[in-house]
Structures are given as structure tokens and as C-alpha cells.
Amino acid sequence: MFNKEKIVSRFMEYVKISSESGSEGDFHRKLIVDLDELGAEVSVDEAGSKAGSDANNIYAYLKGNMETEPLIFSCHMDTVKPGKNIEPIIEEGLIKSKGDTILGSDDKSGITAIVEAVKLIKEQNPDHGPIQMIFTISEEVGLRGAKNLDYDRIIGKRCYVIDSSGPVGKIIVQAPAHNKIVSEITGKPAHAGIAPEKGISAIMAGADAISTMNLLRIDEETTANIGTFEAVGAANIVSPAARIVGEVRSLDKDKIDLQTSHLVVCLRKAAD
Ligand SMILES: [Zn+2]
């Protein structure tokens, strides 16, 4: 069975090796050594140069001893900031950071789980099909490693990505795509008391745009929101500038495109 002490000590070892997005090199090298030790066939791609990282995606393959569909397990190697010189401590049965950095359990708890599970499989050799492990770079800054994966190296169709909070056993099977819309409306300033007809109000144009938008719950798969409407100015000046920020989410690619262009059209019409 799993050895709790070994899992904890591997996790502590992993989080102590800094791997902020773009600087995963040290951890990447350590993981390759550990995967080699497990007897996995390890290779790397060239995603780092495209993703702006000093490391690459790692692919590790473990032969099966029976003919079944290959299973893939994946995690990301990078962490958010501040993730340098992490000192993990154990307090009342919980692993925490000392307080001045993140802990890095996202995603090193997942990596630890995968490596320890595969180690157990190697030791006990139960019946299992081919297993592939894929460890990616720079997830936290826009899934840059995953976007530059070498699909020719991927051996199967079913992949578990161990990277979510919540109760053990929870599985996320889909997530929405997300578009952010940033709009800057330029008006024309004028003295509102003396010559308002010489001005063009950016606030009024922005308000016009928003009032024509279909927002919030669009359908069961699609949402849209305006979260920011900024226009700071004097009460006696026709507003020269406004900034509107919103977003659209949908589980359906066509719907997100349609809703996004609807918001853009509303903004353009009002600005015209
Ligand atoms: Zn994560």
C-alpha cells in the first residue's frame, strides 16, 4: 500500500525546488531523474522555446503487462508566484508554507501522487496496461506547455489531469472557454455648461452600448458580463473617455464566438 511518510517526504522535496512559470528548469531536471529511476522511458519536447520557459514538457512511458487501452496522467510543473525558496512546514497534520511564499501544492501534490502511484505499480507489478505521464510547463500563465504539446508523442486518448481542488474523487469533465473584452471609448471633451453641443460623451456612448447588450445568463452553456465601467472626470466636462471590461464564457465554441461578436457590435455601434 501507499507509504504516507514517503509521499510526504517526496512532496516536501518537490515543493522546495522552485519552479515559477518560465523557470521550471531545476524541477524539470529533478523530475527526469526520478522518472528515470522508476524505469520509465523519458523524453522531452521543445515547447520551452515557444512558451518562454527554461524547461520543456516531459513525457514518460511505462510498458504495460496486459493489452488494454493506455492511460495518461498529467500535471503541470510550474507554480504561481511567490514560489522561490519555499519552506514547507507541518503543523497539526497539515503541510503549509512558512508564510512568505505559496506552498506549491498546485500542482506538486498531483505530481507526487502520480510518481508515488507509478512507483508502487513498479514495485508490486499488478496487471496494468500502458501508462504515460505528461508533465507540462507554464500552465499558470496560459497553458503554454499544453498548447505546445507534441501530440505525436501521446500514446492514448484517455487522460487524467490531476489539478483541481475539492473532495478527493471529484472529476471535472468540461470547462468553459473564456473571452475577455476590453473596450476604450474616446469622446470629445467640452464645457458642459457653456458649449455641451461641442462635446461627445464617452459615458453616454458606453451606456448606450451596454443597454443594448444581451448579458448575464445567455443560455445553459453561455454567460456574459460587464464587470467594469470606468470614466472619471469633472461634473462640468463632457466625458472624454470611458473604459468597459467584460467577459463571455461558453462550453460551446460557436456560442462564445457569437456572443463575443454581439458585444463587440453593440460597442462599435454606440461608438459610431
Ligand atoms: Zn494547477
Side-chain angles (χ1 to χ4, degrees):
M1 275 314 291
F2 285 107
N3 180 319
K4 188 172 157 186
E5 264 144 50
K6 279 187 193 163
I7 292 173
V8 170
S9 84
R10 184 184 295 279
F11 176 76
M12 302 286 264
E13 187 185 11
Y14 283 177
V15 296
K16 281 182 199 163
I17 306 169
S18 309
S19 62
E20 288 180 351
S21 305
S23 308
E24 299 96 333
D26 289 343
F27 183 63
H28 167 262
R29 281 184 286 278
K30 163 68 180 159
L31 199 51
I32 288 174
V33 170
D34 287 358
L35 293 166
D36 266 336
E37 258 171 35
L38 287 180
E41 285 171 32
V42 184
S43 69
V44 297
D45 60 19
E46 287 163 8
S49 57
K50 293 172 225 160
S53 168
D54 63 356
N56 294 302
N57 296 316
I58 300 174
Y59 307 76
Y61 173 70
L62 196 71
K63 270 195 204 113
N65 54 16
M66 60 189 287
E67 296 263 327
T68 55
E69 187 191 336
L71 276 187
I72 304 169
F73 297 91
S74 182
C75 284
H76 61 90
M77 290 181 280
D78 62 313
T79 73
V80 294
K81 294 176 181 173
K84 285 193 182 124
N85 305 315
I86 293 171
E87 284 183 56
I89 53 170
I90 300 178
E91 230 175 62
E92 292 172 15
L94 278 179
I95 308 175
K96 306 172 174 180
S97 87
K98 219 183 75 188
D100 49 355
T101 64
I102 58 154
L103 175 61
S105 58
D106 176 6
D107 200 10
K108 283 170 181 163
S109 56
I111 297 174
T112 304
I114 292 173
V115 173
E116 282 294 321
V118 168
K119 191 162 166 261
L120 200 68
I121 288 170
K122 285 297 280 190
E123 284 165 8
Q124 302 189 347
N125 202 30
D127 290 345
H128 67 88
I131 293 170
Q132 188 175 41
M133 296 162 270
I134 300 175
F135 300 101
T136 59
I137 50 171
S138 298
E139 186 265 357
E140 302 284 6
V141 287
L143 299 135
R144 290 186 197 162
K147 282 174 183 165
N148 289 294
L149 273 182
D150 179 359
Y151 281 84
D152 289 340
R153 292 174 200 251
I154 298 174
I155 62 159
K157 291 187 172 165
R158 203 177 291 254
C159 177
Y160 293 92
V161 178
I162 317 289
D163 184 20
S164 170
S165 56
V168 172
K170 184 184 74 170
I171 295 179
I172 295 168
V173 294
Q174 57 182 2
H178 177 215
N179 280 348
K180 187 176 176 187
I181 296 168
V182 180
S183 161
E184 277 166 18
I185 300 175
T186 305
K188 192 174 164 195
H191 194 289
I194 297 168
E197 48 283 299
K198 288 188 178 164
I200 298 170
S201 169
I203 289 180
M204 287 171 68
D208 271 355
I210 294 169
S211 70
T212 55
M213 287 174 183
N214 185 18
L215 291 170
L216 304 181
R217 171 63 62 191
I218 308 304
D219 61 42
E220 59 184 13
E221 294 181 308
T222 314
T223 59
N225 184 51
I226 298 297
T228 302
F229 188 160
E230 288 170 340
V232 179
N236 64 347
I237 300 296
V238 175
S239 163
R243 185 168 176 273
I244 295 169
V245 182
E247 62 152 42
V248 180
R249 292 174 195 230
S250 183
L251 295 170
D252 184 282
K253 167 87 174 76
D254 291 339
K255 286 177 180 174
I256 195 169
D257 290 347
L258 200 67
Q259 179 63 22
T260 303
S261 65
H262 162 63
L263 299 195
V264 171
V265 166
C266 291
L267 286 158
R268 290 238 162 90
K269 268 192 188 161
D272 287 347

